[in-house]
Amino acid sequence: MEGVYFNIDNGFVEGVVRGYRNGLLTNNQYINLTQCDTLEDLKLQLSSTDYSNFLSSVATENLTTTIIQTFLSDKLFNEFNYIKDQTSGITKKFMDYITYGYMIDNVALMITGTIHERNKAEILQRCHPLGWFDTLPTLTVATDLQSLYDTVLIDTPLAPYFLDCFDNADELDDLNIEIIKNKLYKAYLQDFNNFVTEKLPAPANEIMSELLAFEADRRSINISLNSLQSDDIDSNLKRQLLPEFGKLYPIETNRLIEANDFELIRTAINNVQEYKGILDSGNLDDHFYKIEMDLCRDAFTQQFSVSVIWAWMKSKEQEIRNITWIAECIAQNQRERINNYISVY
Amino acid sequence: MQDIYLELLKKLNDYDQSLDILQSNFKDGMYHLSRANYHNKDSLRGNYGEDYWDNTYEGHFTVNIDSKTNHISIAKKPLPKDNNEIIDQNEEEKSALDERDQKIRNRNIKKKDTNKKSKKEGNKINEKQSNKEEVNHEKKEDNYNKKEIMSGINKKTQEKIHKDTIYMFGGLNIPQSLRSCQTSFKNSIPTLEQLVNSRIEIAKICNELETIEIKNHGDK
């Protein structure tokens, strides 16, 4: 029945997103990019794609990989904001949820930058545009979390996620901020998951559940592996950081919490079919990106679903990473490593 | 004479090998850094670099130069022995706090005495209450100041203990390639030490050779 009413509110948005999806670079286009000798050639190749003349205002001598990455990202943000401006109701709320993840990153960045005695203007420039909120600059007065929450964060959409963050955060140092950031992200992911399962109609709820479950599992595995290197992260703390949903939850998540060496983590992960063997060969993050891109590509096979927005967003971020990697290899003349990108379209 | 040349060739060979090792470590390190940037989910706002640096960070390593041989040795900065250095500093500041506490206690005892001697019961009670409030207010203020100072002491203590620099870049959600990058660059530190020392020795041998050459030339 979703096909009957979906297009009234979301038909235009889905149409636009599918148009953007068709503009994603294909394998052949990536091969053409890898054969460029200079960044100027790369710019020329990109002009024949959906990016067209996005670098036309940049002179050849000023062309660097950083500038290319910045322009690519700006295009993504403009497209995201355009789509968000066309949405209403539940779809708008859905897109707001997408931005909360970036807000958490920005909050952590502002507090970290302050305790590292960085320049306020410098930190603000590094904030993610999609996670911007009006009171973000005031976070530079960070002294302790309680006062930050009472004065600034209580009025942001992140307020409900701070419930479990006040117990041991007396001092704002690198580790505590990292712990707070992960607790926030856990609460955010679980809230987002509840939203998609309860409020979104089928098939969006099924597709988004799977995509968010992957996100939760990725975080669980990364936190477990990184906590092996730190004596400050014990099982009780890990239990507070690992998301409580996903394919690993509850049995393998409990094993990851108790695991204190690499072999135990590997055994736990290998018990889940989708993640079998990811720690055995190759780079873990490359495996994660491949799985994520496969899920995103498959998300487009279903019609009348707002999950295409998330899938397009993640695919576009991956595309920007790929193009930046190719540009770096060209600029540094590392041709033998230029094919280490992930392309599924 | 032949021995000096053989020694020089040996040192040059060692230097060359160390250079190869250093180049390999740096190449691996830079490659892992590039992959870490690729895997950085925050990559839309910056690569792992200057953007993440902690300006309050104090270095962990020192370079010691031997006064006789001019050889260098790179070593980790020693932690304070049994934390005595920190304890002494803390003791000083704590005793300053204790002195203040004692002064306030004396002040309060005096106030209580003067209140006891005065007026009617109703006024007495009111005065006691208001004094209590005053004392409580002072206590709160002093507790707050004490907490601030103590947290300052704790912060200093923590700063003096070496912390892993990788926490500057995240810590719990960083890509594994960033850890590999850190390992590669850390592994190059002994090689750098070896390179500098080899160079010093080569320069010394070259000077010796020059001296011998001049002497031989003079004799002729």
Side-chain angles (χ1 to χ4, degrees), chain A residues 241-267:
Chain A
L241 302 179
L242 266 50
E244 287 169 4
F245 69 101
K247 292 198 160 63
L248 293 171
Y249 184 78
I251 299 170
E252 305 311 333
T253 302
N254 279 330
R255 289 205 176 120
L256 288 177
I257 287 166
E258 300 305 328
N260 53 11
D261 69 54
F262 181 80
E263 280 308 314
L264 290 171
I265 293 177
R266 193 160 74 157
T267 312

Side-chain angles (χ1 to χ4, degrees), chain A residues 326-339:
Chain A
I326 292 171
E328 288 277 2
C329 288
I330 291 171
Q332 295 178 30
N333 202 21
Q334 296 277 346
R335 313 296 304 200
E336 66 275 12
R337 306 203 204 256
I338 203 167
N339 293 313

Side-chain angles (χ1 to χ4, degrees), chain A residues 126 182 219 286 321-322, chain B residues 35 38-39 45 51 173:
Chain A
R126 275 188 55 218
N182 281 283
R219 290 193 78 82
D286 285 339
R321 276 192 284 270
N322 288 344
Chain B
R35 282 318 275 177
Y38 179 75
H39 295 140
R45 54 175 168 78
D51 285 343
N173 265 306

